[in-house]
Amino acid sequence: MQHFHNIVITTKGACPHDCPDTCALVTTVIDGVATKVSGNPDHPFTGGVLCAKVSKYTERTYHAERVLQPLKRSGPKGSGQFTPVSWDEALSDIASRLHAIAARNPEAVLPYSYAGTMGMVQGESMDRRFFHQLGASLLDRTICSTAGGEALLHTYGGKLGMRVQFYAESRLILIWGSNSIGSNLHFWRFAQEAKRNGARLICIDPRRSETADKCHEHLQLLPGTDAALALALMHELIVNDWLDHDYIARHTLGWDELRERALQWPPERAAEVCGLPVAQIRQLARDYGTTPKAAIRVNYGVQRTRGGGNAIRAIACLPALTGAWRDRAGGLLLSSSSIYPFKRAALQRPDLLVQRRPRTINMSAIGDALLHAGDAQFGPRVEALVVYNSNPVAVAPDSVKVAQGFAREDLFTVVLEHFMTDTADQADYVLPATTQLEHWDIHGSYGHSDVLLNRPAIAPEGQARSNAQIFRDLAAHMARLDPAFAAPHFQDDDEALCRTAIAGTNVDLDSLMRDGFASLVVPDAPFADGGFQTPSGKCEFVSENLARLGVNALPDHVPNYELPGSDPRYPLAMISPPARNFLNSTFVNVKSLRNSEGRPLLEMHPDDAASRAIADGDRIRVHNARGEHVCHASINGRARQGVVVGLGIWWRKNGENGTNVNELTHQQLTDIGRGPCFYDCVVQVEKCAA
Ligand SMILES: Nc1nc2c(c(=O)[nH]1)N[C@H]1C(S)=C(S)[C@@H](COP(=O)(O)OP(=O)(O)OC[C@H]3O[C@@H](n4cnc5c(=O)[nH]c(N)nc54)[C@H](O)[C@@H]3O)O[C@H]1N2
Ligand SMILES: Nc1nc2c(c(=O)[nH]1)N[C@H]1C(S)=C(S)[C@@H](COP(=O)(O)OP(=O)(O)OC[C@H]3O[C@@H](n4cnc5c(=O)[nH]c(N)nc54)[C@H](O)[C@@H]3O)O[C@H]1N2
Ligand code: SF4
Ligand SMILES: [Mo]
């Protein structure tokens, strides 16, 4: 009898998602089929552990609803009627449409992408070369992190901070605006280790998150009041002299001004603004001021309100006041992504713009941008939109306007996707993209300091092509109309692009090829002896650059645009942070994960529910002047009084009335970084009639 042996291969890769952890993956492939994706046990940070979402990556990859061939719209916009077409037909039509629009004005073409994959190759390489050659509008990529990112830039000189593994040695950890168990699992492992060694964990979050449950203390402040809290902490550090005067004198700029500002914020004042007990603020200040190895893990949840940039700046000043930076187990981490030496210009080739300076469109106000008729100040009306690595119809604020914009019959929309998302539904062409199991890429991280290589584990499903290949192939079709697109830099393949990303850097290519990861050489304690990368070389409490931009030079509390109660019709503040089993709007269509999340919910405080005669599970209308979202009430003890929580980000088409929480959010921008204010929003809630 003959024995057939299965051919089993394992391939090393990287998690592509917008998550600070950037895990190292190992994919098991049996006879060409990926059967399992697990954490690489040899990568110390990953430690062989993945989150629930990416453990389900094969379910997503082999999903019956994957888009596996190019589709062309065959019915009215948004009708969901599409006909399969060949790649050749799709690409030559797209090339001629884009060429015709660009011939009138290339700025009428807008690429829209975000972090569906964080890879250097599939996220920001051939696509940029293509649009730079065309002279298309540039995209201000603000939807997630620019408020906090630019705040750090103007305080420390970049996205720099503590090394995550040293949180394990900390004695006190403030987990500030982060549901680490859901969104930063591998940091949480270090926090747990610290806790076992006796450290105190304090969570600062308007929601009683799963993480808050496991901390020693929870300060459940009102959204958008973090700067007030940080200023009150400074007040207490000053009046109790819990300061490192030597560190302040040598390594900071603007101490006298900051001192004067902070002294205006006694805990009583902050307590009023934050909706917290005075004693809790005092105790937090004492803990922070008197515990050596005090560390802050602040996350982007803090910077999604009007004053988000100022809030991050205020928080970022704290470890310079106490000198916590002197120890590697003290300091702060928001993001460490500035340490990566990737060759972005070589990948993206902004030089292809030559003399052209296209306008920049802010992705956080895409609704208004698509509805703009065009004028001298705005520039031309957007006529063509190419979307990849993003699902703006679901994730961008003020969806009523976003959906209206995408529904324009005169807008030519191309979407590169794995699935028929809310955005793909609105397309003229949908092009099938590969997943992380099917393409090459190279990754940095914003939560650790390793570079990861992603090798394809399986052949592309169906006719899927990688983003970089799609733009390469589109360039080849454009070359028939415009010879500039025939240049050799439009022919670099994905592996060559991986090499370009690290060519001439100190990334250890051998370990990257052998292990799938390579560690960067970075100091254990980045600011132990100053060394800030600001213009002054100091931690800038006062920033002249910000003053020049017309922003507060000194951190301040900037109240939300929408304060609960300022409009009596909308007495409740709404936040909409990430759901644990989704990654933004990715994985919403993976059945096992959707089952874990149930259905779109709004968490409410029992008193806010009772006064509206709402019971747990009731069908409710959440509404404000912008729109209405129908979902179900969840009275689970996680919401504080006056604040409701709509965990995101569901697909609109899963919503009972075809909406999600972004039906309620607005397009106004943060103080620093031009970011969205998802958590600066007021609503009213009512029970739906039976
Ligand atoms: N499971 C999962 N993981 C994710 C994501 C996901 O969707 N799901 N998204 C990824 C992305 S894109 C990002 S940017 C990262 C980081 O994403 P973050 O935005 O940092 O997400 P969270 O860790 O959930 O932290 C947000 C926390 O901030 C709280 N919060 C809301 N408003 C305020 C406020 O005004 N002040 C304070 N102090 N807290 C506030 C929320 O209640 C929530 O618990 O997470 C990534 N990881
Ligand atoms: N109300 C509210 N809204 C929010 C937030 C919030 O907290 N509350 N969070 C905001 C934040 S922090 C962020 S970062 C944004 C995230 O917004 P997005 O970056 O748009 O993230 P996703 O919703 O995950 O959509 C990514 C899409 O890219 C696709 N994709 C993945 N890999 C590839 C690939 O290789 N090729 C192609 N062509 N496609 C790929 C996925 O299938 C998915 O549909 O949402 C923001 N919106
Ligand atoms: S989403 Fe985050 S925690 Fe999950 S596998 Fe990816 S990097 Fe790791
Ligand atoms: Mo994000």
Side-chain angles (χ1 to χ4, degrees), residues 15-17 19-23 25 49-51 53-54 185-186 583:
C15 176
H17 292 296
C19 168
D21 295 17
T22 318
C23 291
L25 308 180
V49 179
L50 300 182
C51 64
K53 306 175 287 293
V54 175
L185 188 64
H186 294 76
L583 210 133

Side-chain angles (χ1 to χ4, degrees), residues 167-186:
Y167 280 88
E169 301 169 5
S170 303
R171 304 296 303 158
L172 172 73
I173 306 179
L174 310 191
I175 300 180
W176 201 323
S178 171
N179 183 9
S180 315
I181 294 179
S183 69
N184 194 187
L185 188 64
H186 294 76

Side-chain angles (χ1 to χ4, degrees), residues 671-689:
D671 53 351
I672 298 173
R674 310 161 306 286
C677 294
F678 290 114
Y679 307 163
D680 177 342
C681 171
V682 290
V683 299
Q684 179 57 294
V685 183
E686 270 154 35
K687 188 169 163 166
C688 290

